[in-house]
Amino acid sequence: MNHDNNNQTPDELSFDDFDELVNPTAETTDFDRVVEAAMSRRDLLKSVVAFGSIAALGGYNVLSNDAHAASSRMAFTPISADTADTISLPEGYKSHVVVRWGDPLWSGVPEFDHATRGTAASQEKAFGDNIDGMDVFAVGDKTVIVVNNEYSNRKVMWGNRPDGKPANDDDVLKIKMAHGLTIAEIAETDGTWGVVKDSPYNRRVTPDTPTTITGPAAGHDLMKTAADPTGTTSLGTFNNCGNGRTPWGTYLACEENFNGYFSAEDEKHKVSPELKRYGVSAKDWGYQFARVDERFDVAKHPNEPNRLGFVVEVDPSQPDAKPKKRSALGRFKHENAEMVVNGDGRIVVYMGDDERGEFLYRYVSNGYYAVGGETDSLMEDGKLYVAKFHDNGAGEWIELTPESTGLASMAEVCIHTRIGASAVGATTMDRPEWVASNPNAAEVYCALTNNKNRGIKPNAGGDLTPAAGPNPRAENHYGQIVRWRPNGSDHTSSGFAWDLYVLAGNPEVYNDARAGSSNVDASNMFNSPDGLKFDDNGILWIQTDGNYSNEKDFAGQGNNQMLASDPATGEIKRFLVGPNECEVTGLTWSADKRTLFVGIQHPGERGGSHWPEGGDSVPRSAVLAVQREDGGRVV
Ligand code: FEO
Ligand code: CA
Ligand code: CA
């Protein structure tokens, strides 16, 4: 979801701008904005790439694409930025569409109809909209892909209506059914991947699919509703953004901007301060779910939003199993869930809360993972921490408990997690998006996508957001990637060392901190890093969800894109550019690493794309398969 575009009408507000509209925070004047003004690019870069092999090479100044071209582990010729309504790839690469929004998963379901964009009934049996996180699983000898369908563009979905508004209840139900997850068997035939219709593994998980609430919050009074007096079974999951996967073969779908789906008939209805912290209000983002489903009326069902904002575990090998909401991992606007098996066998999950000035979290299981062993308890019984970054390059994980937060119980910590994290003085971040762990080192990276409020406004909880530490630039339009190394290479340790891996920027427009770090130049610049994942060779793939205006601050940066980066050298090379008005998000690999699956989300969100079918067609979010023309490993 692009959260930071300009020139949007109120009807098209990004989720973040919507949050601020319904829960405005005052501009403050007590920030030390002089810090930013005084910070030269040189000073800032001293803090960048402070550890690692780059330092060993004698400093970051050795970094440049030229210097490393000969020895690059990324064997492709980087491509230029562009603004074409197509997929651009390096020479020697090709791509095809695996599955698109509205493609049927079963025989007898009608093909996508460009004139009507389908019905609720057809959508429920077809691939969902706006792809985000995804992963591929081997189930027996089958390949099963699990994909988040994060949200839907009203302008596209209801674009067949003269006023772009739902004409009837079915239009609302259709957009509801475009949300959730799509699970589908896929197969490669003569080099081309496609969905295997009618596979027993094909499944849609929608906002109406029953899920089990597990962990400390299960059964708490705050989780009980009229329809579920036990507080243990909620309907559905939606606005699933990034994802994670477990070593035991399950998928983690992460609920992000769940607040914008709730509304109240009485527009003056005041929600509780706890709901307000999560951006819930009497006004929804525009889907009008409450019109067709009363549980989305927050005045009537004030606990319903407490049942969202979780990491949801789904087993792709068990199409009938209920998804499990893992409350032990906290409740916030989850981006992704990067799971690491620590050296001692404990499970560690790193997670960002993507909203301006929110926090970075870590979960550590109390139990130990054993192959083939029981895993539910690993996801239900553990400790939750929030990150505090110090300006000297050190950081600490602060455990969230009733004692440390002042909340009444661990259940409340897992429901009002943001409030607990504010209470312990966690570091407000520039919108933590995906977290990725380096398979070759005890080292973790997080995309901090951007934050126009940095140094300007507190977060939704009133916590100050000074330009400092890993968030060094006020009014941060470009974003950065922070990384940390746990002390003793132990992911459960309480301390870590951090630095900035890359500061995105535009060296063609600025020569101060906004130019970015020295591993950014005119040939590889980008804004708003979001999707982040390592491949098995330890190459870090970076996907962007940024401003694609290609002008002013963003001149020369073109459409959203995907880049590859080598943490051993800091080198960054542009690999893929997406079609117009899209976000590039979600990636995974086939078992043989010959196919890289990439998500193209919201092409034409403002009416400027007809990708992938061209002509006058409706733009459709799609999973792309990227391959080398010679059939070798992708990289
Ligand atoms: Fe759904 Fe934080 O992006
Ligand atoms: Ca994202
Ligand atoms: Ca984003």
Side-chain angles (χ1 to χ4, degrees):
M1 169 74 201
N2 192 320
H3 303 256
D4 203 33
N5 279 330
N6 304 317
N7 308 321
Q8 287 165 315
T9 65
D11 197 40
E12 298 168 309
L13 281 177
S14 70
F15 284 121
D16 275 293
D17 287 335
F18 168 77
D19 287 340
E20 289 184 34
L21 184 77
V22 299
N23 186 15
T25 46
E27 197 162 311
T28 56
T29 55
D30 60 343
F31 286 113
D32 186 10
R33 294 178 66 183
V34 179
V35 170
E36 161 67 5
M39 187 187 294
S40 70
R41 187 179 183 210
R42 184 185 163 82
D43 287 342
L44 183 59
L45 293 181
K46 280 182 185 165
S47 70
V48 177
V49 197
F51 57 65
S53 57
I54 294 152
L57 286 169
Y60 54 80
N61 286 329
V62 300
L63 289 176
S64 79
N65 288 343
D66 288 345
H68 287 273
S71 60
S72 178
R73 293 200 298 139
M74 301 175 287
F76 63 87
T77 305
I79 59 171
S80 306
D82 72 62
T83 56
D85 195 25
T86 188
I87 303 291
S88 299
L89 289 165
E91 206 182 316
Y93 287 85
K94 60 182 181 179
S95 70
H96 62 268
V97 167
V98 179
V99 58
R100 301 157 293 192
W101 161 46
D103 281 340
L105 302 177
W106 289 275
S107 307
V109 179
E111 292 293 329
F112 182 76
D113 182 335
H114 286 259
T116 64
R117 294 126 212 246
T119 62
S122 67
Q123 182 61 72
E124 191 180 357
K125 301 282 185 194
F127 194 80
D129 200 359
N130 280 347
I131 292 158
D132 211 296
M134 65 172 87
D135 245 310
V136 162
F137 296 85
V139 180
D141 61 352
K142 309 294 187 197
T143 301
V144 177
I145 193 167
V146 188
V147 183
N148 290 342
N149 298 115
E150 187 184 22
Y151 72 110
S152 183
N153 297 90
R154 306 190 300 276
K155 205 169 182 165
V156 178
M157 181 66 86
W158 295 331
N160 56 322
R161 302 302 184 194
D163 57 358
K165 300 269 193 291
N168 51 43
D169 286 356
D170 196 70
D171 278 355
V172 178
L173 290 167
K174 176 171 66 171
I175 216 165
K176 195 180 177 199
M177 290 302 120
H179 283 71
L181 312 180
T182 301
I183 303 170
E185 182 182 339
I186 55 173
E188 189 180 20
T189 309
D190 299 329
T192 301
W193 288 90
V195 165
V196 179
K197 273 191 195 174
D198 306 318
S199 163
Y201 297 110
N202 293 358
R203 179 183 192 185
R204 282 299 318 279
V205 175
T206 73
D208 289 342
T209 304
T211 70
T212 302
I213 299 164
T214 78
H220 189 274
D221 282 350
L222 285 165
M223 303 295 274
K224 294 175 180 168
T225 63
D228 174 28
T230 67
T232 56
T233 304
S234 74
L235 286 186
T237 180
F238 49 86
N239 211 285
N240 298 105
C241 192
N243 75 294
R245 71 182 296 156
T246 68
W248 51 91
T250 59
Y251 180 87
L252 303 175
C254 303
E255 296 174 338
E256 194 187 22
N257 293 294
F258 61 88
N259 55 308
Y261 295 76
F262 294 92
S263 62
E265 229 169 328
D266 173 8
E267 283 204 1
K268 294 200 175 61
H269 173 75
K270 291 265 182 288
V271 302
S272 68
E274 291 81 10
L275 287 180
K276 196 171 171 206
R277 177 63 196 275
Y278 285 85
V280 177
S281 78
K283 190 173 155 41
D284 76 3
W285 192 60
Y287 289 135
Q288 306 182 26
F289 278 12
R291 167 176 165 174
V292 296
D293 189 342
E294 190 198 273
R295 75 188 152 107
F296 291 94
D297 186 322
V298 72
K300 292 179 181 145
H301 302 286
N303 282 350
E304 193 66 43
N306 293 337
R307 294 140 64 87
L308 291 146
F310 294 111
V311 172
V312 186
E313 186 175 6
V314 182
D315 187 344
S317 74
Q318 303 291 328
D320 298 322
K322 275 161 82 176
K324 294 172 180 170
K325 296 205 173 191
R326 298 305 195 184
S327 73
L329 279 62
R331 175 171 165 269
F332 42 90
K333 293 187 181 179
H334 279 281
E335 182 69 22
N336 83 329
E338 177 73 341
M339 183 177 286
V340 179
V341 181
N342 194 49
D344 63 1
R346 277 182 285 175
I347 293 301
V348 177
V349 188
Y350 293 105
M351 305 169 285
D353 181 353
D354 179 11
E355 190 174 314
R356 295 173 187 139
E358 290 297 337
F359 309 122
L360 181 69
Y361 295 87
R362 180 185 73 169
Y363 170 82
V364 180
S365 67
N366 286 331
Y368 299 83
Y369 171 61
V371 176
E374 182 274 337
T375 55
D376 275 330
S377 66
L378 298 177
M379 301 296 280
E380 295 174 22
D381 176 21
K383 296 184 172 70
L384 190 60
Y385 302 81
V386 68
K388 185 165 185 141
F389 290 80
H390 301 296
D391 290 349
N392 65 358
E396 60 184 302
W397 293 105
I398 303 174
E399 189 178 350
L400 300 175
T401 64
E403 295 71 32
S404 69
T405 61
L407 294 167
S409 62
M410 210 46 216
E412 286 200 25
V413 169
C414 293
I415 298 167
H416 298 143
T417 308
R418 281 184 168 181
I419 293 166
S422 286
V424 303
T427 300
T428 59
M429 306 295 283
D430 284 346
R431 299 187 44 208
E433 300 254 26
W434 292 52
V435 184
S437 170
N438 188 339
N440 296 331
E443 184 178 271
V444 191
Y445 294 64
C446 177
L448 302 170
T449 196
N450 58 53
N451 183 1
K452 69 180 184 183
N453 292 344
R454 172 63 56 186
I456 308 292
K457 282 181 173 185
N459 70 5
D463 306 311
L464 300 184
T465 66
N471 311 283
R473 295 176 295 186
E475 297 176 68
N476 175 14
H477 289 177
Y478 295 115
Q480 64 269 12
I481 297 177
V482 64
R483 68 176 163 184
W484 60 93
R485 288 182 176 167
N487 291 349
S489 297
D490 177 351
H491 287 280
T492 70
S493 86
S494 59
F496 59 87
W498 67 269
D499 72 357
L500 292 173
Y501 179 62
V502 58
L503 281 148
N506 194 327
E508 296 290 277
V509 176
Y510 294 110
N511 59 12
D512 57 14
R514 292 168 291 188
S517 50
S518 62
N519 48 351
V520 168
D521 59 33
S523 76
N524 69 0
M525 61 182 177
F526 61 95
N527 73 85
S528 308
D530 186 337
L532 216 55
K533 200 179 261 190
F534 276 94
D535 66 23
D536 62 339
N537 281 334
I539 298 298
L540 179 64
W541 294 82
I542 304 166
Q543 301 177 310
T544 72
D545 169 24
N547 187 307
Y548 45 71
S549 64
N550 203 36
E551 56 186 34
K552 298 181 184 164
D553 275 10
F554 310 100
Q557 301 193 335
N559 289 350
N560 276 306
Q561 53 185 288
M562 184 161 82
L563 310 103
S565 181
D566 185 349
T569 61
E571 181 187 16
I572 298 171
K573 292 166 75 168
R574 186 182 294 114
F575 179 78
L576 178 152
V577 179
N580 293 340
E581 301 171 6
C582 83
E583 159 183 354
V584 181
T585 183
L587 71 165
T588 188
W589 290 263
S590 62
D592 61 12
K593 315 297 180 195
R594 289 172 43 257
T595 301
L596 166 59
F597 298 100
V598 179
I600 301 296
Q601 190 190 85
H602 66 68
E605 64 175 352
R606 296 181 190 180
S609 171
H610 297 284
W611 189 85
E613 290 152 279
D616 291 331
S617 66
V618 174
R620 297 164 74 184
S621 177
V623 176
L624 203 64
V626 177
Q627 298 166 325
R628 283 182 67 93
E629 283 169 359
D630 67 9
R633 275 182 62 108
V634 177
V635 170

